[in-house]
Amino acid sequence: MWASDQRAGVSLQSALSDRVRPWHLLDVAAFLFGAGSSIRRTSPGVGELTDLSLVAITGISLLTTVTAVASGLLAVVVLRFTVGTLWGYAVEYANAGGQWSDTPFLVPVGGGLVAVVAAYAATESLGTAAWAGFWTFVAAAGVVAVAVSFAAGYRETSG
């Protein structure tokens, strides 16, 4: 694959720049966060900076490593679902003629952010806070969509 790219005059750097996008850094960060959090939870002493040596890391069991990789991949999936849902909501709202500063757009986003802060303050769990924020956003977006549909239908029949 790369040999044919080089024969065609395409360098490795340009071939990679066509495949690697800036948002892939978010995937890497989510994977490292998920894997690191899993290792920190299951391997006592690894969470301290003084113990992050090669000796401490190689002492991690195979089960812990597999669990960490699975947690990292799950974090990437959750990130993709969350960002995809929020981005899709924003793009579809703008495509329908709305502005990102409109109240019907900001209510679900603001509600989700408030839920994140409240859940984190109550539980000190980032996962729980993200879960609460996402589902609050989804529920608020649904309620706003129904309310806007009723308001638009009322205007059409009474106009």
Side-chain angles (χ1 to χ4, degrees):
M1 180 168 130
W2 287 342
S4 65
D5 287 345
Q6 288 180 350
R7 270 186 267 131
V10 177
S11 69
L12 178 61
Q13 182 180 6
S14 65
L16 284 177
S17 68
D18 291 342
R19 292 179 180 92
V20 178
R21 300 284 184 235
W23 63 79
H24 291 133
L25 292 175
L26 286 174
D27 291 341
V28 171
F31 178 82
L32 292 174
F33 176 78
S37 296
S38 176
I39 290 172
R40 202 172 116 237
R41 275 191 314 272
T42 58
S43 298
V46 175
E48 289 90 35
L49 288 176
T50 57
D51 288 338
L52 282 179
S53 64
L54 187 57
V55 174
I57 291 174
T58 56
I60 296 173
S61 71
L62 179 62
L63 178 63
T64 301
T65 303
V66 170
T67 303
V69 169
S71 295
L73 292 174
L74 180 63
V76 172
V77 169
V78 168
L79 172 79
R80 286 289 181 113
F81 284 173
T82 303
V83 170
T85 300
L86 293 172
W87 185 250
Y89 178 73
V91 168
E92 289 302 319
Y93 189 81
N95 287 344
Q99 298 294 321
W100 289 358
S101 58
D102 293 346
T103 302
F105 176 77
L106 293 176
V107 166
V109 174
L113 290 174
V114 167
V116 166
V117 171
Y120 187 75
T123 64
E124 294 185 8
S125 168
L126 190 58
T128 302
W131 187 258
F134 176 78
W135 287 110
T136 301
F137 164 79
V138 168
V143 168
V144 166
V146 169
V148 167
S149 293
F150 279 134
Y154 179 73
R155 272 189 243 129
E156 286 179 9
T157 58
S158 64

